[in-house]
């Protein structure tokens, strides 16, 4: 696909006023220096959706939705990035330019041709379900499963007739056509004799759609005793089963605000639930629900419910989902596990008990926190000391995989209550190897280095920075006593120098031009520091950047989740909401933050070198090593 130049996107965002873009679709009201409305992306009675004309971005304090004008159009109008840019360009009277290279043209043409042939195949299969002479068995099967013609149409169900070359004969009219059929996974080319034949034969066909509603692959169910019972398209240039969820597009179309997503195991489960009005079900495509699936689902909801059979196989699948879900459990998100009676699946159960009772069962699902502790306690007597010890060794490394936040802290508090162990003891156990499969390696411990207290003038850069780091101090008198109390109330905000620098640059991108110092610490394994370094690189190359143009670039370069995290940081942190902090000596504060980052890096390096000398034993050090030992001790104690 031809690339839209970043310079054009920046210019477009600078020409637009996001207040006008949003107000044209959602009525805004002035609220101080910003504008507010009830959020269009989730149900609420009190407005928590704000639009900043200064920063040219929107943020919802209720659901976390955020972005610039392009992002708003993508979410509200359900358009692609390119479509949103074209819509906004048209409103601004601009023509969208394209940067075309031979590679882009070739890549775009092939993908377009693959989408075209997959769409043609889907239309063909749907027509066969209506007209083919061998369709009766397929129709009877669907009728026996209780599906209506309406729901079959909504999900594009079709029929692949028996025979080896139906699709090949219809669409394989040239070598290029055959190459596309093979590339799309619809036709198999046997390597040993170069023989060609249709992949799907005598099967009910379930088209798989991407986030834009394009057909990217198929699932097929046999109508006899052939194996496998279900067959999916292979991986192709447009289909990656580990990153797609069947039924997600239909769920989004049926629900403007997906309050919850129900993850089931099969195509028929999704469709049967939709027929009974439960239009929020999706299914993985023959694979376990992995981190990419969860990342995709959490883009559209804050609550996921896994639905499994109650037998041993279902329990095993649930444990696998549990392990994959740990790293996704950010604050505000919820995951539940629903176990059905043995021998039941969502398809059959919803027909037996109805949608209302099925919905009640979903509400009564087991929260992730309870399921995790239940799984860890299996086979243990946690009333005994030995049982509690083994239970702790299983749980602590698992909880360490949770993202930092309130949820993680509460989980460790819960574990402490269950075991009677102190927080310090549990922290020691987090470095144990997790005893359940697929556990992520323990992250390296963060070295916490606090500078000694120093006397500084009131409102100096160091004073403000101490406030940002969470050091208590008495603020200088403010003009108003109420302001003074509010300012003091916020002196417990904990903020490391990397985050402080990031926030300052987000709030004032031109600040980087006023500071000569740069962080020179190694960012390997430190996502926050890597993000700061990427931010500095971007701003150095674009001295006229605004937060809105930064958001636009960030979403394309690092993904929508990373973009929304930047918006959330800027919208919610004290630094950018307190004028006394945000506007005073920002360049000095930024320089101090950079210095502290470098100081921490050097101190960590010195400590590692000191530990190596200690390991040799002081008695075994030569005179040069002893001098270095003393020098390292002084360097470590030296304040920033």
């Amino acid at each position: 696909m031809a690339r839209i130049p970043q310079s054009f996107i920046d210019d477009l965002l600078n020409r637009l006023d996001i207040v006008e873009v949003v107000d044209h679709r959602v009525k805004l009201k002035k609220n101080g220096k910003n504008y507010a409305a009830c959020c269009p992306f989730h149900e609420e009675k009190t407005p928590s959706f704000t639009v900043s004309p200064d920063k040219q971005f929107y943020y919802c304090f209720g659901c976390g939705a955020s972005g610039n004008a392009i992002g708003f159009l993508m979410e509200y109008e359900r358009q692609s990035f390119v479509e949103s840019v074209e819509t906004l360009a048209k409103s601004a009277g601009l023509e969208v330019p394209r940067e075309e290279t031979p590679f882009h043209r070739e890549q775009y043409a092939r993908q377009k041709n693959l989408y075209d042939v997959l769409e043609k195949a889907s239309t063909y299969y749907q027509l066969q379900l209506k007209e083919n002479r061998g369709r009766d068995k397929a129709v009877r099967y669907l009728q026996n499963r209780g599906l209506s013609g309406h729901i079959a149409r909504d999900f594009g169900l079709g029929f692949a007739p028996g025979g080896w070359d139906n699709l090949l004969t219809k669409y394989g009219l040239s070598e290029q056509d055959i190459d596309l059929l093979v590339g799309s996974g619809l036709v198999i080319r046997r390597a040993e004799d170069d023989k060609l034949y249709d992949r799907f034969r005598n099967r009910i066909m379930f088209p798989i759609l991407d986030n834009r509603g394009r057909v990217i692959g198929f699932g097929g169910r046999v109508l006899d005793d052939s194996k496998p019972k279900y067959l999916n398209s292979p991986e192709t240039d447009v289909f990656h089963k580990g990153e797609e969820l069947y039924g997600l597009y239909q769920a989004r179309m049926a629900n403007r605000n997906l309050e919850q997503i129900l993850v089931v195991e099969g195509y028929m489960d999704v469709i049967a639930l939709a027929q009974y009005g439960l239009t929020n079900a999706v299914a993985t495509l023959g694979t376990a629900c992995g981190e990419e699936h969860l990342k995709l689902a959490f883009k559209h909801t804050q609550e996921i419910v896994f639905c499994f059979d109650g037998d041993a196989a279902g329990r095993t699948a649930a444990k696998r989902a549990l392990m994959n879900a740990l790293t996704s459990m950010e604050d505000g998100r919820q995951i539940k596990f629903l176990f059905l009676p043995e021998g039941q699946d969502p398809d059959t159960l919803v027909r037996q008990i109805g949608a209302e009772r099925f919905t009640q069962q979903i509400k009564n699902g087991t929260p992730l926190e309870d399921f995790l502790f239940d799984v860890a306690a299996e086979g243990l007597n946690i009333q005994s000391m030995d049982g509690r010890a083994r239970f702790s060794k299983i749980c602590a490394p698992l909880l360490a995989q949770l993202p930092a936040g309130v949820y993680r802290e509460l989980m460790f508090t819960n574990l402490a209550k269950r075991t009677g162990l102190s927080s310090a003891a549990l922290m020691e156990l987090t470095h144990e190897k997790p005893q359940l499969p697929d556990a992520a390696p323990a992250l390296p411990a963060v070295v916490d280095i606090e500078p000694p207290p120093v006397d500084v003038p009131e409102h100096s850069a160091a004073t403000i920075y101490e406030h940002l780091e969470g050091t208590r101090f008495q603020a200088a008198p403010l003009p108003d006593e109420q302001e003074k109390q509010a300012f003091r109330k916020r002196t417990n905000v904990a903020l490391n120098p990397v985050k402080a620098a990031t926030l300052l640059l987000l709030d004032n991108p031109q600040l980087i031009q006023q500071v000569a110092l740069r962080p020179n610490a190694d960012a390997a394994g430190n996502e926050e520091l890597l993000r700061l370094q990427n931010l500095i690189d971007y701003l150095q190359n674009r001295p006229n950047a605004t937060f809105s143009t930064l958001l636009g670039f960030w979403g394309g370069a690092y993904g929508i989740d990373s973009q929304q995290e930047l918006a959330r940081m800027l919208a919610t942190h004290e630094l950018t909401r307190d004028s006394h902090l945000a506007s005073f000596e920002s360049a000095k504060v930024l320089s101090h933050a950079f210095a502290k980052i470098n100081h921490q890096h050097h101190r960590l390096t010195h400590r590692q070198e000191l530990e190596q000398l200690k390991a040799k034993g002081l008695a075994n050090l030569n005179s040069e090593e002893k001098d270095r030992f003393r020098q390292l001790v002084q360097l470590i104690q030296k304040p920033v």
Side-chain angles (χ1 to χ4, degrees), residues 164-165 168 178 182 187-190 194-198:
W164 292 91
D165 59 359
L168 184 62
I178 292 172
V182 174
V187 167
I188 295 174
R189 188 192 297 272
R190 199 159 61 186
D194 207 35
K195 182 178 180 181
L196 297 164
Y197 57 93
D198 290 357

Side-chain angles (χ1 to χ4, degrees), residues 543-591:
N544 297 319
T546 64
F547 182 68
S548 179
T549 59
L550 168 63
L551 275 187
F553 167 81
W554 213 263
Y558 304 109
I560 192 67
D561 287 345
S562 186
Q563 179 200 65
Q564 291 180 346
E565 175 62 15
L566 291 187
R568 185 193 66 79
M569 288 173 65
L570 187 68
T572 61
H573 203 278
E574 299 293 334
L575 170 65
T576 57
R577 297 170 67 191
D578 190 322
S579 59
H580 295 280
L581 294 178
S583 63
F584 194 83
E585 294 192 329
S586 297
K588 289 185 179 180
V589 178
L590 180 63
S591 182

